Amino acid sequence: MFRNSLSKLARPTLARAQLPRNVRGLKNINFGGTVETVHERADWPREKLLDYFKNDTLCVCGYGSQGYGQGLNLRDNGLKTIIGVRKNGSSWKAAIEDGWVPGENLFPIEEAIKKGTIIMNLLSDAAQSETWSSIKPLLTKGKTLYFSHGFSPVFNKLTHVEPPKDIDTIMVAPKGSGRSVRSLFKEGKGVNSSYAVWNDATGKAEEKTIALAMAIGSGYVYETTFQREVYSDLYGERGCLMGGIHGMFLAQYEVLRENGHTPSEAFNETVEESTQSLYPMVGKHGMDYMYDACSTTARRGALDWYPVFRDTLKPVFRKLYANIKSGAETKRSLEFNSRPDYREALEKELDTVRNMEIWKVGTEVRKLRPENN
């Protein structure tokens, strides 16, 4: 979902962060009629994490979005953490800028894996597939293999990533980019994450996974499976999180422009009001609250039209989920991201988005916000 590399400007400055103490812990919560177990960070204060992982070296493979966020949070929590990336590549240089030291806690991937006890494979999905033949022999008994996405193991017929059966294989999947994992941690908060166990060779894999979830900066975690995680993740980013919402923005904006509305008016009624006023309200209080907070006219229109959008879009979402479940989306992703001209082809598509009128208008509208003056 996110760019795999971060520019120097995109990486926040380092700051020592401490997990806040609170009274929340393990609890069972009724989510709309379904009771689920939720683990919260109070059960894993920093002192407990330090003791639990005192004999471990956490090897973070890859320094893209998640490698960056999780790696720095682990380091700030005082755990022995090393980074494994291609020597002298862009990620290697980015890691040095963030204070990782070659030969001390920054190594080429294979060397780092040999030194690590918990191997956190946070390379891109395509890179995980491409490097698996060289990584797998280094995953010797006693090590733990960690993912933050179910992509590679679940679609192993396409990725060829089949974890060894004699080691713990686990997953912590933050529900946000690595930048969010890092920024929320520094603010004393925490992203929510899901966790799963693929293989429990030691009988302690679940406990270890929950501990790692807290160590990387999660606020609370809930259980899933590798399969459910990857299906829901691929589905969400193509739907409401990115692809679907972008398509809906474009459709509304274009119809407004076709009917004579100015660019600024079309953008404000489509994007600015939603992201700056209404969506934050939904995020904080829920859609039901937003209905109560809006005018009677707005409420009537929304209540009349949301079923129309749901019924129109549901077949699209069903088709999307079927494509994910069949592996068609995985196959396309791997084929595209493994092309030698991948970056050039991607930039061409991204340039198309950057040059759309709606987002050029957005650049100017954002400048007018009071906080930017």
Side-chain angles (χ1 to χ4, degrees):
M1 305 169 65
F2 300 94
R3 289 192 177 194
N4 193 45
S5 59
L6 298 174
S7 69
K8 184 175 180 180
L9 292 176
R11 294 192 301 275
T13 56
L14 291 172
R16 189 75 176 175
Q18 299 292 331
L19 290 175
R21 295 299 186 90
N22 51 47
V23 296
R24 305 183 311 170
L26 173 67
K27 60 177 65 172
N28 294 322
I29 299 177
N30 188 320
F31 292 100
T34 300
V35 177
E36 297 182 40
T37 299
V38 173
H39 300 266
E40 298 182 280
R41 67 162 50 128
D43 286 335
W44 289 93
R46 187 167 178 267
E47 293 77 9
K48 184 176 178 180
L49 291 173
L50 289 171
D51 182 66
Y52 190 85
F53 293 111
K54 63 185 177 184
N55 297 319
D56 285 302
T57 297
L58 285 78
C59 167
V60 177
C61 296
Y63 203 67
S65 178
Q66 289 297 335
Y68 151 81
Q70 295 188 36
L72 289 177
N73 289 358
L74 290 169
R75 188 177 73 180
D76 281 3
N77 265 333
L79 303 182
K80 186 177 181 182
T81 308
I82 61 176
I83 302 294
V85 291
R86 181 170 58 86
K87 189 172 183 179
N88 296 325
S90 58
S91 293
W92 179 276
K93 295 172 183 176
I96 291 174
E97 290 175 4
D98 286 338
W100 300 95
V101 181
E104 181 179 316
N105 51 24
L106 176 61
F107 304 93
I109 292 179
E110 292 185 14
E111 185 178 350
I113 292 174
K114 291 176 183 178
K115 294 177 179 292
T117 58
I118 298 177
I119 312 305
M120 304 173 70
N121 195 339
L122 301 181
L123 296 166
S124 69
D125 295 326
Q128 287 185 19
S129 179
E130 292 165 3
T131 60
W132 183 246
S133 60
S134 61
I135 287 177
K136 185 176 181 179
L138 304 176
L139 299 174
T140 52
K141 192 171 183 179
K143 293 184 185 290
T144 295
L145 178 59
Y146 167 109
F147 294 96
S148 279
H149 193 18
F151 188 97
S152 292
V154 170
F155 295 111
N156 56 64
K157 290 183 179 179
L158 293 168
T159 66
H160 309 296
V161 175
E162 297 187 23
K165 292 182 171 56
D166 60 347
I167 67 171
D168 288 346
T169 300
I170 61 179
M171 176 183 68
V172 176
K175 301 298 107 178
S177 72
R179 277 171 276 190
S180 298
V181 171
R182 180 60 176 158
S183 62
L184 289 171
F185 175 83
K186 291 174 66 178
E187 293 169 14
K189 301 176 183 178
V191 69
N192 63 307
S193 303
S194 60
Y195 77 92
V197 174
W198 179 270
N199 187 54
D200 184 2
T202 64
K204 299 179 180 179
E206 182 177 20
E207 179 184 61
K208 188 188 308 178
T209 310
I210 295 168
L212 280 167
M214 301 311 173
I216 67 165
S218 302
Y220 71 89
V221 296
Y222 56 92
E223 187 175 11
T224 186
T225 66
F226 274 65
Q227 186 180 72
R228 293 209 318 263
E229 187 280 332
V230 70
Y231 285 3
S232 61
D233 187 78
L234 296 180
Y235 180 71
E237 63 198 13
R238 284 156 176 75
C240 289
L241 301 180
M242 290 183 69
I245 199 69
H246 188 196
M248 192 166 73
F249 279 157
L250 288 175
Q252 177 166 310
Y253 179 88
E254 288 168 2
V255 169
L256 284 170
R257 294 288 286 126
E258 289 165 5
N259 282 275
H261 295 269
T262 63
S264 63
E265 183 174 54
F267 185 86
N268 276 298
E269 291 294 339
T270 300
V271 179
E272 194 74 352
E273 185 173 357
S274 61
T275 60
Q276 298 304 297
S277 175
L278 302 183
Y279 290 174
M281 192 185 299
V282 174
K284 189 172 183 179
H285 299 292
M287 183 65 75
D288 52 342
Y289 179 94
M290 190 175 78
Y291 275 113
D292 290 337
C294 289
S295 70
T296 55
T297 302
R299 189 184 306 149
R300 182 68 267 146
L303 288 170
D304 288 343
W305 277 89
Y306 88 77
V308 178
F309 280 102
R310 179 199 59 199
D311 294 345
T312 302
L313 291 171
K314 202 164 182 179
V316 178
F317 277 96
R318 283 183 172 139
K319 180 180 179 180
L320 169 60
Y321 195 87
N323 277 9
I324 289 164
K325 196 171 181 179
S326 71
E329 291 296 309
T330 296
K331 185 172 184 292
R332 164 151 174 76
S333 179
L334 287 172
E335 287 177 350
F336 181 84
N337 295 335
S338 298
R339 285 167 44 177
D341 65 341
Y342 152 71
R343 292 192 182 279
E344 293 81 2
L346 176 63
E347 278 304 308
K348 187 175 180 180
E349 289 186 276
L350 292 176
D351 275 339
T352 298
V353 174
R354 295 182 189 114
N355 289 313
M356 288 177 176
E357 182 186 272
I358 184 174
W359 304 120
K360 285 188 171 184
V361 172
T363 299
E364 299 307 312
V365 169
R366 286 190 293 274
K367 293 176 183 176
L368 299 174
R369 293 177 188 167
E371 66 269 23
N372 293 329
N373 289 313

